[in-house]
Amino acid sequence: MKAPSGPEEVRRPASDIRVFASSCTLHGLGHVFGPGDLTLRRGMWATAMLLSLATFLYQVAGRVRYYGEFHHETTLDERESRQLVFPAVTLCNINPLRRSHLTPNDLHWAGPALLGLDPAEHVAFLRALGRPPAPPGFMPSPTFDMAQLYTRAGHSLEDMLLDCRYRGQPCGPENFTVIFTRMGQCYTFNSGAQGTELLTTTKGGAGNGLEVMLDVQQEEYLPVWKDTEDTPFEVGIRVQIHSQEEPPIIDQLGFGAAPGYQTFVSCQQQQLSYLPPPWGDCSSKSLNPDFEQEPSDPLGSPSPSPPYSLTGCRLACEARYLARKCGCRMMHMPGGAPVCSPQQYKDCANPTLDAMLRKDTCTCPNPCAVTRYAKELSMVRIPSRSAARYLARKFNRSEAYIAENVLVLDIFFEALNYETVEQKKAYEVSELLGDIGGQMGLFIGASLLTILEILDYLCEVFRDRVLGYFWRQRRSQRHSSTNLLQEGLAGHGTHVPHFGLGPSAMAHLSRPPTPPCAPAKTLSASHRTCYLVTRL
């Protein structure tokens, strides 16, 4: 017999590759798996499809590899603003201690560490200070606190600050915050400490920022007794302009302002934004300055850590290093370690910190967001001859004193604009998907829906080939069991005498045999049994 054709043709299953190729949106697949025998045309289509697929996979691998390298790019932009937060300004007198406030007890404890004095030189040094020698029977104190020494003998802002104005309005020592640095006791303007509201400015140019007149108090400078590494030879003020989140490192990053000059500092705010790993190396987690972690108080809430900054990380790293090497910390360092004694300063802290800075032991990543201030400095001589006479009368000083000790510092924004330096991802996930989609459409003519079609076809193949195999096995087992049951019933029906049938039933045996479970008007016992089994 001929196979049925036309409407009676056997329908192919959905898992057949030819059925899928005839309806798939993947270009060229229908020409490869179309009806008919293998021809040169079909082979050429298959070759073209394989080459296009290989090119597509090569391009996708290159794009994925480029994305895995996590490149970034840096953009520079300048933006306008109607109002800018004024930076924090830290001031330190280059002379750390006032000579008139030093005592024999200070020289006993801190003389060797801070001034390089031997005990035999104390009398001569006190004479150079214009102070009387230690009285007979002098006994030094049992303990000594370096922070108290700098607080008591350091330069007082009330004595140094002759005039202060911010945006034309008067200001004073109450607008400054005391802070300890490696240079001693310093003062920060607009620090924002203890929730103080930050000052802002709405105009640029001189006169729209901070203007201070300072007296450096040269008569209080310590005499240069020995030429040591820390001996200062200059006179004036060290200044650092920084953000409120960043602690000052004025001994390394500060610039100088000299007496006899008015220094103009024009600033421009810069906002830098860095990317975290794997695109960059920025961090926003603060480093704990304590070498050994203290157990947290179960009843109290943990104190919030300060915002991460590069200088804060360096100070915390230095504090941990000194705590491990010397068992103490310098007074300007954070942490819970005890403050070093003067002898520890001399024998361990200062040498260790200097060696650490030379080796650059601390490696701190950039913060993810940081504010910096670019500066341009210019200076003019002050005072003029007429101004010198006026200032001498105003402050009850001589004209020579005014020329040698007074300076003016004027800090302002150049304009109300700021620069943004931002790191951005050079290759986003959306760009990767766009490139893959473009290559897919160019080389194999596919789209996302084509991928869904292929997945749907794979599901059909799994259902028909794998699950269908188990279904056919189970159906074959059920059919075999049914045949065995029917054969058993047929064989059981030939032994009718076992049922004790009467003459009427015996008459039925002489009739031709009836197929098992065939319908009959009069049911014998054996036929009723077959009927019940079939119903079950």
Side-chain angles (χ1 to χ4, degrees):
M1 281 182 68
K2 290 184 178 181
S5 60
E8 298 180 358
E9 185 178 357
V10 178
R11 183 179 179 182
R12 297 182 182 277
S15 60
D16 195 307
I17 186 63
R18 286 170 290 185
V19 175
F20 172 71
S22 63
S23 60
C24 182
T25 58
L26 186 65
H27 294 181
L29 193 63
H31 297 283
V32 178
F33 296 99
D37 298 332
L38 179 62
T39 61
L40 178 62
R41 176 175 175 271
R42 182 175 296 183
M44 294 178 64
W45 271 106
T47 303
M49 278 205 65
L50 290 177
L51 289 177
S52 299
L53 181 61
T55 306
F56 163 68
L57 294 178
Y58 176 78
Q59 295 290 337
V60 169
R63 292 291 86 193
V64 172
R65 190 185 311 109
Y66 180 77
Y67 177 79
E69 293 173 355
F70 302 108
H71 294 276
H72 69 266
E73 57 187 15
T74 303
T75 60
L76 176 63
D77 191 15
E78 186 171 349
R79 301 178 183 178
E80 299 288 337
S81 178
R82 295 183 179 181
Q83 178 177 288
L84 289 177
V85 175
F86 199 75
V89 180
T90 300
L91 310 173
C92 296
N93 199 313
I94 292 178
N95 180 63
L97 299 171
R98 291 178 289 180
R99 61 193 301 169
S100 63
H101 287 67
L102 290 180
T103 64
N105 187 64
D106 298 333
L107 295 181
H108 172 80
W109 286 101
L114 300 181
L115 305 174
L117 293 177
D118 297 328
E121 299 175 316
H122 288 181
V123 176
F125 189 81
L126 287 173
R127 188 180 301 111
L129 295 179
R131 306 290 301 278
F138 165 74
M139 293 295 294
S141 61
T143 59
F144 191 80
D145 191 339
M146 292 287 289
Q148 292 182 1
L149 169 65
Y150 280 96
T151 301
R152 173 175 50 83
H155 287 266
S156 172
L157 185 64
E158 287 79 3
D159 299 333
M160 290 195 303
L161 189 62
L162 302 179
D163 188 31
C164 176
R165 292 185 178 274
Y166 179 73
R167 295 179 59 190
Q169 300 298 320
C171 54
E174 66 276 2
N175 299 107
F176 291 79
T177 305
V178 177
I179 184 172
F180 287 100
T181 70
R182 200 176 182 187
M183 295 186 65
Q185 182 174 256
C186 302
Y187 305 91
T188 301
F189 176 80
N190 195 32
S191 65
Q194 300 178 353
T196 307
E197 184 179 0
L198 298 179
L199 300 177
T200 59
T201 182
T202 56
K203 291 182 181 180
N208 294 292
L210 175 65
E211 184 177 0
V212 292
M213 179 180 289
L214 298 171
D215 180 5
V216 299
Q217 299 177 319
Q218 281 202 62
E219 77 280 1
E220 290 285 1
Y221 275 43
L222 295 175
V224 178
W225 194 256
K226 287 183 179 180
D227 187 4
T228 63
E229 186 177 354
D230 297 329
T231 300
F233 295 101
E234 63 271 17
V235 59
I237 301 292
R238 294 293 291 272
V239 185
Q240 183 179 353
I241 301 174
H242 55 95
S243 65
Q244 283 75 17
E245 293 81 13
E246 185 178 12
I249 305 184
I250 197 166
D251 59 305
Q252 302 177 34
L253 304 178
F255 62 92
Y261 290 90
Q262 180 171 359
T263 304
F264 298 92
V265 185
S266 175
C267 302
Q268 185 179 31
Q269 188 182 90
Q270 296 176 337
Q271 295 183 2
L272 291 82
S273 177
Y274 298 97
L275 289 175
W279 294 272
D281 60 349
C282 81
S283 174
S284 57
K285 183 179 180 181
S286 299
L287 179 65
N288 194 321
D290 292 324
F291 177 65
E292 295 182 356
Q293 301 290 338
E294 296 181 358
S296 57
D297 186 4
L299 301 179
S301 58
S303 58
S305 58
Y308 177 81
S309 63
L310 188 60
T311 56
C313 175
R314 291 174 59 182
L315 283 175
C317 177
E318 293 170 1
R320 291 169 62 96
Y321 191 80
L322 287 186
R324 183 170 65 250
K325 292 291 186 179
C326 306
C328 61
R329 63 178 176 89
M330 291 184 171
M331 62 180 181
H332 68 279
M333 293 179 176
V339 178
C340 297
S341 65
Q343 194 63 32
Q344 287 176 315
Y345 261 86
K346 178 184 178 182
D347 297 339
C348 184
N350 283 324
T352 301
L353 183 58
D354 293 337
M356 180 182 180
L357 295 178
R358 285 193 299 268
K359 296 179 181 179
D360 197 14
T361 306
C362 292
T363 55
C364 292
N366 290 319
C368 294
V370 62
T371 302
R372 293 179 181 172
Y373 297 92
K375 300 174 287 293
E376 292 182 1
L377 278 68
S378 60
M379 293 175 289
V380 295
R381 284 292 304 269
I382 62 164
S384 63
R385 292 179 180 179
S386 57
R389 289 190 292 269
Y390 168 77
L391 294 175
R393 292 194 304 268
K394 181 179 180 180
F395 298 113
N396 195 22
R397 296 287 187 174
S398 65
E399 294 183 15
Y401 182 90
I402 296 296
E404 293 178 355
N405 291 274
V406 174
L407 63 88
V408 177
L409 185 64
D410 195 352
I411 302 174
F412 54 89
F413 281 117
E414 180 181 0
L416 286 186
N417 54 19
Y418 60 95
E419 291 182 352
T420 59
V421 181
E422 184 178 4
Q423 284 185 352
K424 294 183 178 180
K425 299 176 184 178
Y427 199 57
E428 297 276 1
V429 177
S430 58
E431 296 175 307
L432 174 63
L433 296 178
D435 286 346
I436 293 177
Q439 303 290 346
M440 186 185 300
L442 176 64
F443 290 104
I444 60 177
S447 64
L448 181 62
L449 296 180
T450 306
I451 298 176
L452 296 180
E453 290 179 352
I454 296 175
L455 294 177
D456 180 70
Y457 169 70
L458 295 177
C459 291
E460 292 290 342
V461 171
F462 179 78
R463 188 186 66 177
D464 294 347
R465 303 293 173 86
V466 180
L467 297 182
Y469 171 79
F470 292 105
W471 290 341
R472 286 190 296 271
Q473 290 290 332
R474 185 176 301 177
R475 189 182 299 113
S476 177
Q477 293 176 0
R478 289 180 179 177
H479 187 68
S480 300
S481 301
T482 304
N483 291 338
L484 291 174
L485 180 61
Q486 290 179 355
E487 291 176 0
L489 290 175
H492 183 72
T494 57
H495 301 280
V496 178
H498 292 284
F499 289 95
L501 300 177
S504 59
M506 294 297 293
H508 286 284
L509 295 175
S510 61
R511 298 177 182 178
T514 306
C517 305
K521 294 183 180 180
T522 305
L523 298 176
S524 63
S526 62
H527 288 84
R528 283 195 297 269
T529 302
C530 180
Y531 177 79
L532 291 175
V533 170
T534 304
R535 295 291 293 176
L536 291 175

